[in-house]
Amino acid sequence: MVFIDACFRQETPYTPIWLMRQAGRYLSEYQGVRQKTKNFLDLCANVVLATEVTLQPIEILDVDAAILFSDILLLPHAMGLPLEFVPSFGPKFLDTIKSLEDIKALKRGAYKDLGYVYEIVSNVRSKLDKSKALIGFSGAPWTLATYMLEGQGSKTYSRSKKILYAQPEVAHALLEALSIEIISYLDAQARAGANALMLFDSWAGALELEAYLEFGWDYIQKITKALKTKHPKVPLIVFPKGVGTYLAHLKGDFEVFGCGWDTPLEHAKEVLGDRYVLQGNLEPARLYSQEAMRNGIEHILEVMGKKAGLIFNLGHGMLPDLPRSNALELVRLVREISRR
Ligand code: CP3
């Protein structure tokens, strides 16, 4: 698999590419399947349909990796927080974590209740071409904790930060409980056939350096260390979004460092050197214009060169109104320009 070779910095015939949120509303085929279920959670739990949408971007875009179709919030949901996806608003937890008692009441071993996720993984793996990789994933503890504390997306993260600074022991209890679940959850995905595992820390950039190291990165280090021991041949990808200025501090047992569009790759390459393979980081909005997209692709490939060390991706997820024709062109161009 070109993608897995590239994760381990082996030379490949071209730079592999996949796109965050490559299965989603910008694809009419996704919308067609989405309409068959009343809500998004039903789609995530439907083995046949979730398998179908996981495979759509492989068939349509010919990307080098499929990513499990699911959501990072299924794990907190399984731990006992009722979750809804509200149309044109986003995810909403009907209960939030307010105290140590609430954390004690969370279900332990909740990953066992997500059997359908592992079924989707093994079903996808059995249908996927041998040359294509399947990526399993989880949210990182800090990002999951923000949703559990805020109840929904937030601009200020004031509830989460209040707990972090005023009751750090409560924050650590929640992050610890999440980390234990995440290790088992990702381990189960690898055992079901996931070829690589990714941790999304989408809201890493909401914290100052010291707080991020203590409440965010420290847990990522523990998780990757545990998984690396269990699955040395499964590459681990971390994606702490918005922490470009903290890079020198972000060390750990993983192969691939995902860069958001906010982190210039020149900078990541300089600071991280050859320590990690980089993944990223085309600003998704560049796909609104063919010219902006082409310039962005050329710049990234120029900075990273044709040697091993890059997995091409967007610097955050595909937006629902991006033209699919440009997503197709993106994959074609990256393959053509990066061919060795
Ligand atoms: O990348 C993929 O194609 C795999 C599937 C995937 C989804 N969510 C599908 C999804 C992955 C990897 C995620 C991760 C996820 N979910 C993150 C981390 C990545 C990131 O974007 O930073 C976060 C923060 C979430 C939480 C979440 N889920 C939000 C904020 C939303 C609403 C956003 C919106 O545009 O409505 C979701 C819903 C969601 N997750 C959708 C999809 C395809 C849209 C649901 C729909 O079809 O109505």
Side-chain angles (χ1 to χ4, degrees):
M1 290 178 228
V2 174
F3 174 83
I4 299 297
D5 290 346
C7 289
F8 287 114
R9 203 185 281 279
Q10 283 161 17
E11 297 298 337
T12 51
Y14 56 86
T15 301
I17 177 169
W18 68 281
L19 309 177
M20 286 190 274
R21 284 278 177 93
Q22 63 191 13
R25 284 166 293 192
Y26 78 102
L27 293 177
S28 53
E29 291 86 344
Y30 170 80
Q31 286 177 346
V33 176
R34 175 73 184 77
Q35 275 165 16
K36 293 185 190 171
T37 61
K38 214 167 103 203
N39 62 60
F40 176 67
L41 283 174
D42 292 339
L43 175 56
C44 292
N46 186 311
V47 175
V48 173
L49 297 182
T51 299
E52 188 180 340
V53 291
T54 302
L55 292 170
Q56 280 175 350
I58 295 280
E59 284 146 22
I60 298 166
L61 304 176
D62 190 32
V63 282
D64 295 286
I67 181 162
L68 162 71
F69 187 82
S70 191
D71 197 86
I72 60 167
L73 300 180
L74 294 183
L75 190 60
H77 181 50
M79 290 174 85
L81 287 190
L83 172 66
E84 264 181 26
F85 280 86
V86 184
S88 67
F89 172 78
K92 203 170 169 88
F93 282 110
L94 307 175
D95 255 344
T96 56
I97 299 291
K98 292 173 211 73
S99 65
L100 213 46
E101 283 63 47
D102 293 342
I103 297 166
K104 287 197 183 120
L106 288 172
K107 181 163 183 177
R108 310 301 148 115
Y111 75 93
K112 290 180 201 150
D113 295 347
L114 293 167
Y116 59 83
V117 171
Y118 319 128
E119 257 185 79
I120 297 164
V121 168
S122 91
N123 202 21
V124 170
R125 191 53 271 178
S126 72
K127 293 189 158 69
L128 198 56
D129 192 276
K130 283 190 180 62
S131 66
K132 308 288 189 185
L134 173 59
I135 304 168
F137 70 88
S138 170
W142 159 247
T143 290
L144 295 184
T146 63
Y147 282 101
M148 298 167 88
L149 294 163
E150 309 281 341
Q152 59 190 58
S154 170
K155 284 202 168 77
T156 58
Y157 303 91
S158 53
R159 290 186 193 203
S160 318
K161 290 189 182 186
K162 189 172 173 187
I163 299 261
L164 238 63
Y165 290 103
Q167 294 176 284
E169 68 290 353
V170 176
H172 280 302
L174 178 57
L175 294 162
E176 183 69 36
L178 281 166
S179 299
I180 293 167
E181 289 297 329
I182 290 167
I183 291 168
S184 302
Y185 185 45
L186 289 175
D187 172 44
Q189 292 181 37
R191 285 189 283 112
N195 307 107
L197 297 170
M198 175 156 168
L199 277 171
F200 284 92
D201 209 357
S202 306
W203 314 140
L207 294 177
E208 59 166 324
L209 174 62
E210 203 186 324
Y212 185 61
L213 294 179
E214 179 180 343
F215 297 99
W217 192 256
D218 191 44
Y219 291 96
I220 289 189
Q221 280 184 319
K222 285 182 187 148
I223 293 167
T224 55
K225 194 168 177 209
L227 289 167
K228 207 68 260 175
T229 318
K230 285 183 210 271
H231 302 284
K233 289 187 178 149
V234 175
L236 303 176
I237 311 166
V238 300
F239 178 57
K241 174 108 191 349
V243 292
T245 53
Y246 306 167
L247 294 185
H249 302 269
L250 305 183
K251 294 180 185 157
D253 290 325
F254 53 86
E255 283 74 24
V256 182
F257 193 99
C259 293
W261 53 262
D262 48 273
T263 304
L265 279 186
E266 294 86 327
H267 172 69
K269 196 179 168 198
E270 190 186 316
V271 179
L272 298 175
D274 291 340
R275 205 188 300 151
Y276 311 116
V277 166
L278 302 181
Q279 176 174 277
N281 78 346
L282 188 73
E283 153 68 274
R286 280 188 180 265
L287 271 69
Y288 286 120
S289 146
Q290 261 197 43
E291 196 193 343
M293 179 176 84
R294 197 182 173 107
N295 291 340
I297 296 169
E298 282 171 353
H299 179 72
I300 290 172
L301 291 176
E302 209 173 284
V303 170
M304 296 305 294
K306 285 198 176 188
K307 287 220 287 232
L310 174 69
I311 290 161
F312 205 101
N313 204 319
L314 300 175
H316 209 164
M318 271 302 277
L319 302 163
D321 65 340
L322 286 172
R324 70 186 273 149
S325 55
N326 285 355
L328 281 162
E329 180 70 358
L330 165 61
V331 177
R332 195 191 67 74
L333 273 174
V334 167
R335 215 159 269 161
E336 180 188 292
I337 302 173
S338 71
R339 198 160 285 282
R340 330 295 199 217

